[in-house]
Each structure stands twice: as C-alpha cells, then as structure tokens.
Amino acid sequence: MTKLAVIAIGGNSLIRDNTRQTVEDQYDAVCETAKHIVGMMEQGYEVIITHGNGPQVGFILRRSEIANEVAGMHFVPLVACGADTQGAIGYQIQQAMDNEFKKRGMDKSAITLVTQVVVDANDPAFQKPTKPIGSFYTQEQSEKIQKEHPDWVMVSDSGRGYRRVVASPLPLEIVEKDVIHKLVREGYCMIAVGGGGIPVIRQEDGCFKGVDAVIDKDFAASLLATQILADELIISTGVPKVYLNYGKPEEKALDRVTLAELKEYVKENHFAPGSMLPKIQAVIKFLENGGSKAIITNPESLEEAVAGKTGTHVQL
C-alpha cells in the first residue's frame, strides 16, 4: 500500500561547506539527495518535498545590500527573497527528481508550487523579532539603514556589529494545501512550502498580504503533513539519528521512541534550541495532531530509514 510522506530537507544540507556554495555546487547536492528520495519512493511512498532556504536567502539579501551600496538600487524585501528561493531551489529539486525518474524508468513527474503560509498578525513574535538575517553592519551603517527603513529592527549582535532581526511566527494554514493534495493524489511528486512558506496575513477583507518574517521550515512541514493527512513526516538533518547528550561521552542514539518519551526528553533539555529542538517540536506537533509516525535521519540514510534499518522513529 502506498504511503504519503512529507520530507523536509534542510537548506544547509544543500551547501556542503564554505568552499562549495555556488548554484552548481548546490545542484550537485540536490541531485545526490534526489537519488535517495527516489530510492525511498521505490519502496512504496508518494512524497511532498519541503526544503530550507536560510543560506540562500542570506545570499540574495547580501547581493541586494551590495547593489544598494554600489549602485543605489532598491533593497529586495525579505518576503520576495523567500519567494525567489522557492522558485530557484524548487526548480533544481524538480529537475533532479525528474532526471532520476527517467534514469529508473519511472512514470513520474515533479512539480514545484510557490506556497503561501498564513501567520497571525498578532503573533507575539512580531512584537519581539529574534531571527537574524542578512549581513553585519557598523553602527554608522545601521543608523543610516534605520532611517531609510524605520520599520526594520536592528540589534547589536555579540560585538560583531549590527544586524537586522525579523519575527518568526508560527504557521497556521497552508494556503495552497488543497492544490498540493490534489496533485499528489494524481501521482505528481510535489515540491512545496519551501523555506517554511511565504509568510502572509489574512486581512479583514479576506485578501492576503505578504509580511517580512521567517517561518521555521520544520514547523511548516509538520503543519503541511497534518493538513493533508500524510502518513509520515520525515525530517532530514545532518545526523543519521537523534542523540541524547549529543557530543558528550555518554551520548546515546535514539532508535525507536514514543511520543511521551520524546516529550520527556524535551523537558530534560536534551535538544539544542535552533538546531535539533525545532525538529523535535515539529515531530511532536505532527503526532499530537493526528499523525501516526515520524522519522528523523540524514539524506543519505533515507532509504534505509524508511526500511527500518536506521534513523530515529517516533510513534504514539
């Protein structure tokens, strides 16, 4: 029986190291990950692929900043940067998946859908932005930018300079969820909700308006999996399994764990904020909202993980 899974790929996993950051390097990494996803599909899965975009948005913002400094060109709004990366990264994943389907003789096609995600305009995150984006500035540069963009929040970052911070509100609704579900049922491999989705608020007249914010991509993947009734949520990260006491002599890999056990580990502060903790919280949300199973592993272990041979498997 075919299972439906949402797979979240980290934006950092598409950039292997500081010496391989070009678009071509990223595509090589995408192609490698595509092989493992298609291998997983051969085991009886339909998939929706979501992806991170943190480094890629940073690159676009930096280019925008340089263009502003050198040629006086306008800044690119963060919300537009998110849309740009959905299209660009989605195109690479889509092409890599289609090429892999052809190599294996599979009658499948991938589609990228630029996706909006509703957030609450009154989310407390908007009152206290904490997510740093873009480059570091001197105090003088920061003051100049603040005058040009009075709605921006600039903060001193650990003595390294000044940096813009934005809100990271919780995702509430995937605007295009019905389209995504329909196309998956018709047999398409979907790439959607890239970078956590484009943050939008619903105005009084029901129309949407984009806002400069960053949605956690694992939370968005969890919400998507819930709203389309996926069988499994699979989060791809830098390690094959989740560990307790990570990096310490007494570290322990988690193979199979219950939801209750995982929540207890969170209370014991086993998972680092901004790293493994959001992935764990995303898994918890999915299972608490009707999901049946979640797996956390690295891209190269996807095939073995869905076969039960590795990865951290979480169930009720």
Side-chain angles (χ1 to χ4, degrees):
M1 181 178 176
T2 301
K3 298 177 183 177
L4 175 58
V6 171
I7 305 175
I9 302 170
N12 284 303
S13 69
L14 304 180
I15 296 176
R16 291 165 174 166
D17 55 52
N18 290 335
T19 67
R20 291 180 286 182
Q21 296 186 336
T22 68
V23 174
E24 293 78 14
D25 290 331
Q26 179 175 285
Y27 183 62
D28 289 342
V30 167
C31 288
E32 188 60 32
T33 298
K35 292 177 185 176
H36 301 299
I37 296 176
V38 176
M40 170 190 149
M41 293 175 69
E42 288 182 320
Q43 297 183 47
Y45 281 84
E46 294 288 351
V47 302
I48 300 168
I49 303 167
T50 71
H51 59 82
N53 67 348
Q56 293 81 7
V57 164
F59 294 153
I60 294 175
L61 284 170
R62 183 57 186 143
R63 292 188 192 103
S64 172
E65 290 161 352
I66 292 170
N68 176 262
E69 294 164 9
V70 174
M73 295 183 68
H74 62 275
F75 280 102
V76 178
L78 176 61
V79 68
C81 293
D84 287 349
T85 58
Q86 279 200 24
I89 298 172
Y91 147 70
Q92 289 192 325
I93 297 173
Q94 178 177 314
Q95 186 177 89
M97 292 294 291
D98 280 345
N99 288 344
E100 196 62 31
F101 292 145
K102 288 182 176 68
K103 290 175 185 176
R104 303 190 190 207
M106 298 171 66
D107 184 21
K108 299 285 290 184
S109 293
I111 298 176
T112 299
L113 183 68
V114 176
T115 315
Q116 303 170 94
V117 175
V118 178
V119 298
D120 186 351
N122 297 314
D123 190 302
F126 285 109
Q127 303 305 315
K128 192 175 180 181
T130 59
K131 187 76 174 176
I133 61 167
S135 303
F136 289 96
Y137 298 96
T138 65
Q139 184 174 352
E140 183 180 353
Q141 289 172 320
S142 174
E143 290 172 353
K144 180 175 181 291
I145 289 171
Q146 192 74 78
K147 287 179 182 178
E148 294 173 350
H149 301 276
D151 56 328
W152 287 18
V153 178
M154 306 292 292
V155 299
S156 177
D157 190 330
S158 306
R160 294 179 292 176
Y162 289 79
R163 208 172 180 197
R164 183 186 176 194
V165 292
V166 298
S168 185
L170 290 173
L172 301 178
E173 177 190 348
I174 312 297
V175 175
E176 292 81 8
K177 63 181 181 298
D178 292 339
V179 176
I180 295 168
H181 202 185
K182 181 176 188 294
L183 290 171
V184 168
R185 288 199 306 269
E186 292 180 5
Y188 292 97
C189 171
M190 295 298 301
I191 300 107
V193 196
I198 301 167
V200 298
I201 57 173
R202 185 179 276 107
Q203 302 178 104
E204 289 185 5
D205 62 0
C207 294
F208 295 117
K209 178 183 178 181
V211 292
D212 279 351
V214 174
I215 299 173
D216 183 276
K217 59 97 178 166
D218 294 313
F219 286 173
S222 175
L223 178 63
L224 174 64
T226 297
Q227 293 195 334
I228 65 166
L229 304 177
D231 298 297
E232 297 182 16
L233 171 64
I234 302 174
I235 296 182
S236 170
T237 185
V239 289
K241 298 180 181 181
V242 177
Y243 294 85
L244 302 181
N245 303 307
Y246 183 66
K248 299 178 182 178
E250 65 273 24
E251 83 172 13
K252 175 188 175 184
L254 295 178
D255 296 313
R256 281 170 172 74
V257 61
T258 66
L259 174 60
E261 290 170 336
L262 195 62
K263 291 169 76 171
E264 192 60 35
Y265 294 143
V266 170
K267 289 181 182 178
E268 294 171 0
N269 297 314
H270 277 285
F271 310 116
S275 179
M276 186 57 73
L277 182 59
K279 302 177 193 333
I280 299 296
Q281 291 171 326
V283 163
I284 290 172
K285 281 180 178 290
F286 174 62
L287 294 176
E288 285 183 335
N289 288 294
S292 59
K293 182 179 180 180
I295 301 172
I296 300 178
T297 191
N298 54 358
E300 55 267 37
S301 300
L302 281 172
E303 292 142 298
E304 288 194 338
V306 297
K309 298 177 182 178
T310 190
T312 295
H313 297 245
V314 188
Q315 292 181 274
L316 297 174

